[in-house]
């Protein structure tokens, strides 16, 4: 039980379940499977971007260009599709573009030693600018139906993209827990100098983190484009901040070395679900953003109090223990 | 020596005067959008440039790449410093541009607004897509026309647009709600939701809306993201065609939804014509023409227009000459029959 309360993921999940129950009691339509599935469906873009961001935050970095990277990948996807490329090739091009965009961040941060916030703030501008240059500034419209179809596929009433994202999440969770190379992200973020002295490839670990952030942003772009069917110039605008918030909410520490993929995903799910729930609760739309902000603060604050209370308890127990031992 | 100097001085003055008149014939007009990169504004820009070519004057379409008031101020100042004769702008803020516009007018630059207005003291004419009354009524009419018995059985409708701080969309919805209360008391407005120009949210929000109110009859979406987003949500949930989705957006975005029957009718105005009209009027004013409220004239490619007083948009201020509102002659309802006639 104590272990459960101690992990942020559990606390956020608990709060999410609580919100679901309250919303469902208020508006029984919410309990219909379709509503829950649609919330999963709507959160996929943010879940994927947040997962990529998690690698960077684990290494004690920050990437504020992930939204722009997703936008750029969506533009590559849309443009190649409208040029008549088959869906598979276009998706590959988009993923490649996102990965390259991530690799550019990685190069700047690890080899040119530009501070991450500056580097990615710069590329945020560059990638958003590139979107306009590629498209001449117009929305990408009239995408072929073939890109929208995967969004309509499903199994057991759950859309294909939800399954795919869950599979990717499970894979990421397994790898970060069990694969030695992936543990480097934690080691580097926890203590960069220590990791270096142990002989870990610190720079290449950071390089991989930023590159993965780009790849995941491109995955998000594919889902985004399939679900929405057009690419506007402000596609995924502001998602970098939402992704960071999702990570913090899900227990990924901004000081590096702490956090899990499941936590980041739950944080993203929570941040997205709030907007849908407020509609089921009949809260006027004007309140939407304010409510989302309040809930974020409440969760982080409650989590902080619970943790410090537990920490205090632990210390007191230790002091008592020590005193007993000495007597 | 002194005489010689004054002679040279006079000669220089005469030269300058000549240069001045020669320069004045080269009319330069700037056409500023809220932001570049949005199909709607790009199309307005195309119309503006086309009218410039037709009139044989120079028209420059440019503006900030993100919706920022300070960005628009920079563009205004730049165009003024470059000696432009007139500026037509779609303002991001009703008051935030006042100082920049005042400075521009002091330097003799003619200011017009199009699409989105400023305080009428700081511009000559507002080239308007329609009054809030006209557009609000159009929103309700498009929904009602798709119902079998709009005044019969009880109906549930909802509104979905970008945000409560967008002046024009808000005004239309206020009028639409008033029209519903007066003419369709059997319509219940179950919710008004916002998606803040975020395409992902523009799909998520109406999805929840449809599920929270399974018996919804119509969603009215006067926003370029909200309308396709709502149509997409209806398609994802498999209720396309069973629920009325209407509002304002551009034909190119909506074409696939109209072709598939998800959206049967939606409206907008022809922004290409709006751009043309703005440049035509700006050029008239640069040529020294004086326009009064009530004046009527024909504009090539656009049609017959009339100068209306500022009061049609609810303003108190009214200048005597060269001040007022010029409305586009018509608004367009797009259906499967006419959508292919438009490309913007």
């Amino acid at each position: 039980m104590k272990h459960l309360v101690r992990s942020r993921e559990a606390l956020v999940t608990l709060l999410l379940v609580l919100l679901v129950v309250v919303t469902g009691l208020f508006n029984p339509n919410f309990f219909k499977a379709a509503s829950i599935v649609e919330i999963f469906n709507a959160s996929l873009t943010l879940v994927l971007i947040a997962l990529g961001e998690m690698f960077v935050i684990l290494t004690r970095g920050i990437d504020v260009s992930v939204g722009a990277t997703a936008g750029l990948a969506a533009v590559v996807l849309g443009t190649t599709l409208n040029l008549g490329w088959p869906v598979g090739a276009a998706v590959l091009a988009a993923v490649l573009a996102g990965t390259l965009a991530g690799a550019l961040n990685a190069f700047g941060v690890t080899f040119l030693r530009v501070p991450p916030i500056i580097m990615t703030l710069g590329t945020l501008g560059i990638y958003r600018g590139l979107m306009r240059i590629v498209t001449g500034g117009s929305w990408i419209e009239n995408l072929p139906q073939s890109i929208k179809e995967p969004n309509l596929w499903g199994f057991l009433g759950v859309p294909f993209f939800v399954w795919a994202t869950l599979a990717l999440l499970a894979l990421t969770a397994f790898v970060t827990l069990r694969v030695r190379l992936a543990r480097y992200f934690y080691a580097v973020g926890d203590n960069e100098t220590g990791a270096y002295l142990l002989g870990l490839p610190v720079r290449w670990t950071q390089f991989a983190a930023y590159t993965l952030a780009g790849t995941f942003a491109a995955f998000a772009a594919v889902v985004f484009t399939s679900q929405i069917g057009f690419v506007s110039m402000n596609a995924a605008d502001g998602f970098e901040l939402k992704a960071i918030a999702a990570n913090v909410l899900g227990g990924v520490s901004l000081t590096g070395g702490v956090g899990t993929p499941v936590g980041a995903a739950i944080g993203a799910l929570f941040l997205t679900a709030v907007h849908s729930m407020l509609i089921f609760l009949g809260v006027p739309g004007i309140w939407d953003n304010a409510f989302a902000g309040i809930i974020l603060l409440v969760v982080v604050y409650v989590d902080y109090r619970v943790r410090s209370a537990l920490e205090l308890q632990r210390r007191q127990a230790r002091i008592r223990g020590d005193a007993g031992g000495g007597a | 020596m002194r005489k010689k100097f004054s002679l040279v001085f006079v000669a220089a003055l005469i030269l300058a005067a000549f240069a001045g008149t020669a320069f004045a014939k080269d009319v330069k007009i700037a056409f500023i959008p809220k932001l570049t990169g949005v199909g709607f504004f790009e199309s307005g820009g195309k119309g503006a440039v086309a009218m410039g070519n037709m009139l044989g004057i120079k028209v420059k379409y440019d503006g900030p790449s993100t919706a920022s008031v300070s960005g628009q101020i920079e563009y205004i100042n730049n165009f003024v410093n470059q000696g432009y004769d007139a500026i037509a702008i779609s303002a991001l803020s009703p008051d935030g541009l006042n100082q920049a516009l005042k400075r521009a007018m002091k330097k003799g630059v003619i200011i017009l607004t199009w699409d989105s207005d400023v305080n009428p003291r700081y511009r000559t004419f507002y080239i308007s897509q329609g009054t809030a009354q006209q557009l609000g009524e159009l929103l309700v009419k498009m929904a009602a026309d798709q119902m079998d018995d709009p005044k019969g059985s009880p109906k549930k409708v909802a509104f979905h647009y970008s945000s409560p701080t967008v002046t024009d969309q808000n005004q239309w919805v206020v009028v639409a709600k008033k029209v519903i209360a007066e003419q369709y008391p059997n319509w219940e407005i179950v919710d008004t939701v916002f998606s803040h120009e975020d395409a992902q949210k523009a799909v998520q929000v109406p999805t929840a809306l449809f599920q929270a109110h399974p018996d919804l009859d119509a969603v009215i979406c006067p926003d370029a993201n909200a309308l396709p987003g709502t149509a997409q949500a209806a398609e994802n949930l498999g209720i396309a065609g069973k629920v009325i989705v209407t509002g304002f957006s551009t034909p190119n975005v909506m074409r696939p939804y109209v072709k598939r029957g998800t959206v049967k009718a939606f409206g907008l105005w022809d922004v290409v014509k709006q751009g043309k009209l703005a440049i035509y009027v700006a050029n008239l004013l640069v040529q020294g023409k004086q326009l009064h409220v009530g004046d009527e004239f024909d504009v090539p490619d656009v049609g017959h227009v009339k100068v209306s007083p500022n009061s049609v948009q609810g303003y108190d201020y009214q200048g005597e000459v060269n001040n007022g509102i010029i409305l586009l002659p018509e608004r367009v309802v797009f259906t499967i029959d006419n959508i292919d006639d438009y490309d913007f």
Side-chain angles (χ1 to χ4, degrees), chain A residues 27 29 32 34-36 38 41-43 45 132 136-139 141-142 145 148 151-152 224 226-230 232-234 237 239 242 272-273 275-276 279-280 282-286 288-289, chain B residues 35-39 42 65-66 164 191-194 196-201 203-209 211-214 224-225 228-229 232 235-237 249-250 252-253 255-257 260 344:
Chain A
N27 188 337
N29 283 324
K32 287 190 185 150
S35 305
I36 309 276
E38 281 306 329
N41 213 8
S43 68
T45 313
R132 282 166 211 282
S138 333
W139 290 21
E141 297 142 351
N142 289 323
Q145 188 63 19
K148 285 185 163 189
N151 185 43
L152 303 174
F224 176 92
S226 180
Q227 284 184 336
I228 289 156
F230 62 91
S232 66
M233 282 305 101
N234 56 1
D237 206 4
F239 272 57
K242 282 191 205 167
T272 317
H275 298 303
S276 293
I279 291 169
F280 282 93
V283 176
I286 304 182
D288 187 60
N289 280 340
Chain B
L35 71 167
T36 53
V38 176
E42 300 289 317
S65 59
T66 55
D191 206 349
T192 301
V193 295
F194 307 101
H196 304 275
E197 285 167 39
D198 172 347
Q200 189 264 326
K201 232 175 156 188
V203 178
Q204 182 194 350
V205 161
T207 302
L209 189 66
Q211 291 178 327
H213 306 280
N225 273 300
Q232 187 63 47
E235 289 186 2
N236 291 353
L237 293 173
S249 190
T250 53
N252 281 354
V253 176
R255 187 165 287 116
Y257 300 105
R260 284 197 294 270
F344 66 93

Side-chain angles (χ1 to χ4, degrees), chain A residues 17 45 52 55 103 130 139 144 179 197 224-225 296 310:
Chain A
V17 171
T45 313
F55 290 107
L130 271 178
W139 290 21
V179 176
L197 292 175
F224 176 92
T225 309
L296 176 68
L310 282 176

Side-chain angles (χ1 to χ4, degrees), chain B residues 69-193:
Chain B
V69 174
S70 58
Q72 280 199 322
I73 290 173
E74 258 175 56
Y75 273 91
I76 294 170
N77 290 341
N78 279 341
F79 283 125
V80 170
N81 296 344
Q82 288 172 36
Y84 274 73
D85 301 287
I87 292 174
I89 183 164
S90 169
L92 275 165
S93 153
D95 287 307
L97 305 174
N98 290 355
Q99 290 310 315
L101 295 178
K102 214 160 122 185
R103 173 175 171 269
M105 288 173 115
K106 233 182 223 166
K107 295 207 166 182
V109 180
I110 291 160
I111 305 294
L112 294 92
T113 51
W114 65 282
D115 172 53
S116 183
D117 198 12
V118 296
N119 185 325
R121 285 171 211 276
Y122 300 108
R123 50 109 172 122
T124 54
F125 291 103
Y126 168 40
I127 310 300
S128 166
Q129 50 268 36
T131 60
Q133 192 64 33
Q134 287 172 317
L135 290 159
E137 282 172 4
L138 180 62
L139 283 174
V140 179
K141 184 177 181 301
M142 288 188 298
D145 285 352
Q146 294 183 53
M147 295 174 183
D148 297 330
D149 57 340
K151 299 208 174 183
S153 57
K155 299 275 188 289
K156 285 189 174 177
V157 298
F159 287 90
H160 172 201
Y161 56 106
S162 74
S163 97
T165 53
V166 175
T167 325
D168 48 359
Q169 296 181 359
N170 233 356
Q171 284 175 343
W172 306 333
V173 171
V174 167
V175 171
K177 285 180 174 171
K178 216 174 99 197
V179 172
I180 290 173
E182 284 165 2
Q183 297 179 18
Y184 301 98
N186 55 320
W187 292 18
E188 184 199 346
I189 299 163
V190 295
D191 206 349
T192 301
V193 295

Side-chain angles (χ1 to χ4, degrees), chain A residues 140-224:
Chain A
I140 302 179
E141 297 142 351
N142 289 323
L143 289 175
Q145 188 63 19
S146 54
I147 186 65
K148 285 185 163 189
E149 259 158 24
N151 185 43
L152 303 174
W153 299 342
F155 177 64
L156 298 177
V158 177
F160 161 71
F161 280 127
V162 175
W163 288 117
T165 306
L166 281 176
L168 189 65
L169 175 62
L171 182 72
T172 318
F174 175 78
V175 168
T176 50
L177 202 65
R178 295 275 175 230
V179 176
R180 198 182 145 78
L181 269 175
R183 299 301 299 171
Y184 289 179
F185 291 120
Y186 292 89
V188 168
D190 190 44
N191 184 347
E192 193 179 322
T193 322
Y196 179 76
L197 292 175
L198 278 173
L200 299 191
V202 171
R203 281 196 189 186
W204 285 109
T205 306
Q206 289 168 335
F207 196 97
Y210 286 91
T211 311
L212 276 172
T215 312
F216 275 78
F219 291 157
V222 174
V223 176
F224 176 92

Side-chain angles (χ1 to χ4, degrees), chain A residues 230-312:
Chain A
F230 62 91
V231 183
S232 66
M233 282 305 101
N234 56 1
D237 206 4
F239 272 57
E240 48 280 337
L241 291 185
K242 282 191 205 167
I244 294 168
N247 273 287
V248 171
L249 191 59
V252 181
S253 167
L254 286 177
T255 50
V258 177
T260 63
V262 174
I266 289 175
L269 181 65
F270 193 104
L271 281 185
T272 317
V274 167
H275 298 303
S276 293
M277 285 176 189
L278 291 178
I279 291 169
F280 282 93
L281 288 173
V283 176
I286 304 182
W287 283 91
D288 187 60
N289 280 340
F291 254 97
I294 290 169
I295 289 173
L296 176 68
L297 285 180
V298 167
V299 171
V300 175
Y301 181 72
V302 168
D303 176 66
Y304 167 74
R305 296 301 301 204
V306 168
R307 263 165 212 268
S308 47
L310 282 176
E311 180 68 9
L312 195 69

